[in-house]
Amino acid sequence: MYLLSKFQSFLLKGNERTVLAKKNIIASLGLKCISILISLQVVPLTIGYIDTVKYGIWLTLSSIISWLSFFDLGFAHGFRNRFAEAKAKGDMQTAKEYLSTTYAVLSILFTLIFIGITVANHYIHWSEILIIDRQYNAELHTVFGLLACFFCLNIVGSVFTTMLMADQKPAMASLIQTGGQVLAFITIYVLTKTTAGNLVNLAIAFSGIPCILLFIVSFFIFRTERYKPIAPSFRFIRFSLTKNIIGLGGQFFIIMIAMMFIYQFMNIIISRVKGPEAVTEYNIAYKYFNTLNMFATIILTPFWSAFTDAYTKKDFRWMKQVHRKLERMWLIFILPVSAFMLICSNPIYKWWIGNDVKISLSVSSMVAIYVLAQTLVGVYTTLINGTGKVRIQMLIYLFFSISALPVINYGCEKMGIIGALLFPTVVCLFQVIMGRKQLTKIIMNKDYGIYSK
């Protein structure tokens, strides 16, 4: 805690914008500690409730469902920047119109997507896709349908948490998300004591409960004095604003689709090449090291909308200070902690999971490098995203996505989990190089040509 306190003091000093970020970081850290503890405890709890094979299947299905988030056409990111810009200018009516329009468009879009998925689900042979026993087919159809339903609802409901982050209140968004995790964990614990292992029950607990909580909380918060003036309303839906959101959001959409090919097919490829047990091995190692990425995200999240505010007001001096401190954060905090986590990984796995799953040191090392690369990319892309200048990011991800699937599949066949992770790690490092160059130009107000788009 002393090290963390010193780190916060080192990172955040200065004006009102910085103080607000500091408050959000401190609050979010406490909530994220709870979230991480729950995410760590839920793994052995879930494996005990079902089994290693079914857990691998569950992880693979969950990752497939997460792809649906890419079909918001970049609306969430585009809305976040446009809403923050309107707030920075004090134009609350425009902010309300952006909020109402985003809710309307995503509701229509994901209703259509859910109908399409429901129809397609009847014709999908999950045993052939995942290369597993046919006995799982009927159960997986039901589970996939439930996951799709709750996920589509959650995408629409998450406009509320995106609005909170755009309003520079990510800690409040974290509180809602953590509350959903806590309720889901309690439900799963009760299920382990009262029912036999069942993927359908797991889907309702993991996806349904947090989704329902999100809608209940958003309903009541929009009735408070602070948010009632901008609460969504049918009268303020302006479909003409869609082009303003999707103009920026469209680039985010392409980025997310490209990233899906680079990062999100990992579980399916590993499952097909090495089996569901290997998916479990990879995900346990990733969950462990990704706790570091979670902490980095807590630090970085407030700066997205803060950078939007600063860039709108041309406060380049503050942007330069934050950029330098975040780079130093990575060097003096994240890098050494990741090395320590790697050294301690085997005894921690044994304490955490027991002897149910074996994870080699080589896999842990590769996952650690991969997560380190992700955290460093986050430093640059989060700040750049706040300015809305994402064209270079988009082109890089688009270029690498073309060859992603065959290269990752080949790497997995030759070197297993380690080979599968090599390609996305290289992509991250390339983004680091270009991201740092672009961010420097933006802060120096010398972002001409492709660097200004």
Side-chain angles (χ1 to χ4, degrees):
M1 291 303 294
Y2 173 78
L3 177 62
L4 192 56
S5 175
K6 284 290 185 183
F7 165 67
Q8 290 168 354
S9 176
F10 152 76
L11 180 63
L12 295 164
K13 296 176 182 177
N15 63 17
E16 182 180 348
R17 191 186 297 116
T18 305
V19 171
L20 180 59
K22 180 177 182 178
K23 290 179 179 178
N24 277 290
I25 289 171
I26 293 172
S28 296
L29 277 169
L31 292 167
K32 187 56 70 173
C33 286
I34 297 172
S35 178
I36 289 172
L37 288 173
I38 291 172
S39 66
L40 293 177
Q41 286 300 312
V42 84
V43 173
L45 189 68
T46 307
I47 292 175
Y49 180 55
I50 44 182
D51 55 45
T52 304
V53 174
K54 276 193 171 184
Y55 185 66
I57 295 170
W58 164 258
L59 291 171
T60 305
L61 272 184
S62 299
S63 67
I64 293 172
I65 283 294
S66 70
W67 300 345
L68 295 179
S69 62
F70 299 121
F71 291 96
D72 77 341
L73 305 179
F75 250 75
H77 293 315
F79 159 70
R80 179 174 178 175
N81 280 38
R82 297 306 183 208
F83 183 90
E85 288 169 5
K87 285 275 292 181
K89 296 173 182 176
D91 189 350
M92 302 310 295
Q93 179 174 325
T94 300
K96 184 182 180 79
E97 289 172 350
Y98 275 126
L99 182 63
S100 303
T101 303
T102 301
Y103 265 115
V105 171
L106 290 183
S107 295
I108 294 169
L109 178 61
F110 277 89
T111 297
L112 295 174
I113 288 174
F114 176 67
I115 293 171
I117 289 173
T118 301
V119 173
N121 190 33
H122 287 289
Y123 300 97
I124 295 175
H125 298 285
W126 288 109
S127 59
E128 295 178 10
I129 293 175
L130 302 180
I131 311 181
I132 55 177
D133 197 291
R134 290 185 178 181
Q135 66 174 321
Y136 296 114
N137 260 335
E139 186 178 15
L140 294 187
H141 278 294
T142 304
V143 171
F144 190 75
L146 284 170
L147 288 175
C149 175
F150 288 126
F151 197 88
C152 288
L153 287 171
N154 191 68
I155 289 291
V156 177
S158 291
V159 174
F160 173 68
T161 51
T162 302
M163 182 272 295
L164 290 177
M165 290 188 285
D167 196 30
Q168 300 189 55
K169 293 188 177 298
M172 189 181 293
S174 295
L175 177 61
I176 297 167
Q177 292 162 352
T178 303
Q181 282 184 292
V182 170
L183 289 177
F185 177 79
I186 293 171
T187 304
I188 294 167
Y189 179 78
V190 172
L191 288 173
T192 63
K193 302 298 182 181
T194 58
T195 66
N198 187 296
L199 286 175
V200 174
N201 291 340
L202 206 60
I204 295 171
F206 263 120
S207 301
I209 290 175
C211 180
I212 293 168
L213 177 68
L214 175 59
F215 277 96
I216 292 173
V217 171
S218 62
F219 174 79
F220 284 105
I221 290 183
F222 273 131
R223 296 172 70 86
T224 62
E225 182 179 351
R226 178 181 177 87
Y227 289 106
K228 191 173 184 178
I230 59 171
S233 168
F234 285 107
R235 292 191 302 109
F236 284 84
I237 294 173
R238 304 285 185 269
F239 288 112
S240 59
L241 292 176
T242 302
K243 62 180 181 181
N244 293 342
I245 301 173
I246 209 166
L248 174 59
Q251 294 187 80
F252 280 118
F253 172 65
I254 295 172
I255 288 172
M256 290 187 293
I257 291 294
M259 288 175 68
M260 179 176 73
F261 285 93
I262 297 169
Y263 303 115
Q264 299 299 319
F265 280 86
M266 196 68 65
N267 284 337
I268 287 186
I269 291 174
I270 293 173
S271 179
R272 289 180 62 86
V273 176
K274 296 297 179 180
E277 294 90 343
V279 177
T280 300
E281 179 184 358
Y282 160 64
N283 274 270
I284 288 173
Y286 185 76
K287 278 181 180 292
Y288 171 61
F289 286 101
N290 197 49
T291 55
L292 191 58
N293 201 6
M294 289 179 181
F295 279 111
T297 302
I298 292 170
I299 303 299
L300 294 171
T301 296
F303 291 107
W304 178 319
S305 294
F307 249 60
T308 303
D309 181 82
Y311 188 71
T312 301
K313 297 174 180 176
K314 303 300 179 186
D315 190 354
F316 295 111
R317 182 172 176 271
W318 180 84
M319 294 167 71
K320 184 177 181 180
Q321 290 174 344
V322 169
H323 170 216
R324 286 180 174 176
K325 288 181 178 180
L326 289 174
E327 284 186 325
R328 291 166 66 190
M329 171 199 78
W330 191 87
L331 285 171
I332 68 171
F333 183 74
I334 293 179
L335 189 60
V337 170
S338 66
F340 178 76
M341 289 178 68
L342 180 60
I343 293 170
C344 301
S345 59
N346 279 336
I348 289 178
Y349 291 146
K350 189 171 183 180
W351 166 80
W352 176 26
I353 302 297
N355 296 315
D356 293 333
V357 182
K358 301 294 182 182
I359 302 171
S360 67
L361 181 61
S362 58
V363 167
S364 292
S365 300
M366 189 64 229
V367 172
I369 293 170
Y370 176 46
V371 170
L372 270 176
Q374 286 183 315
T375 58
L376 189 54
V377 168
V379 170
Y380 302 111
T381 57
T382 300
L383 303 184
I384 291 171
N385 288 349
T387 68
K389 300 177 184 295
V390 297
R391 184 69 57 82
I392 292 177
Q393 237 184 107
M394 180 188 74
L395 293 174
I396 292 173
Y397 280 128
L398 199 57
F399 173 77
F400 280 105
S401 68
I402 296 170
S403 59
L405 295 185
V407 173
I408 294 172
N409 191 78
Y410 178 79
C412 191
E413 288 176 348
K414 296 297 181 182
M415 301 173 64
I417 296 171
I418 295 172
L421 290 175
L422 285 174
F423 183 83
T425 302
V426 169
V427 176
C428 286
L429 294 176
F430 196 83
Q431 283 285 19
V432 166
I433 295 169
M434 295 305 298
R436 190 177 193 280
K437 184 176 181 180
Q438 182 183 15
L439 186 59
T440 301
K441 287 181 177 291
I442 291 172
I443 291 171
M444 298 298 292
N445 202 20
K446 295 180 179 179
D447 52 321
Y448 308 115
I450 188 69
Y451 295 103
S452 65
K453 299 180 179 179

